[in-house]
Amino acid sequence: LFRPESLAIREAGPISGTVLHRRFTGSADLVTVRVAGVELEIATPPERVSAGEQVRLADTGTGVHAYPRVTGA
C-alpha cells in the first residue's frame, strides 16, 4: 500500500517510471506514474511534471507498507 505522500519525485531516486497523467487538487497535484506495469499515485507540488515524462521516485520517509497479494479470497 503506497500513500501518495510516501513517494516523491527525486532526480536520483532508485525507482524509475513514466507519468501517465496529473490531476490538480489545490495545494498539490496527484500524479499517476507507471512503474514496472503498476500504476502509483504520487502527491507533488503543482505543475512539476507532465504526462509522458520519465521520472525517478524515492521514499519520503513517511512509511511505505508492502503486503503480499491475496489470491482466491
Side-chain angles (χ1 to χ4, degrees):
L1 173 65
F2 288 94
R3 294 184 56 86
E5 63 274 6
S6 296
L7 295 172
I9 296 171
R10 303 276 191 256
E11 278 188 40
I15 304 166
S16 62
T18 304
V19 175
L20 299 179
H21 53 85
R22 178 174 51 100
R23 186 180 67 200
F24 178 69
T25 63
S27 62
D29 285 353
L30 289 178
V31 177
T32 303
V33 179
R34 179 172 287 134
V35 175
V38 176
E39 293 182 12
L40 304 175
E41 194 167 65
I42 311 298
T44 67
E47 304 293 329
R48 185 160 180 189
V49 296
S50 301
E53 190 173 336
Q54 296 295 308
V55 295
R56 313 253 343 144
L57 305 174
D59 179 11
T60 62
T62 60
V64 174
H65 304 282
Y67 297 99
R69 182 177 296 214
V70 176
T71 57

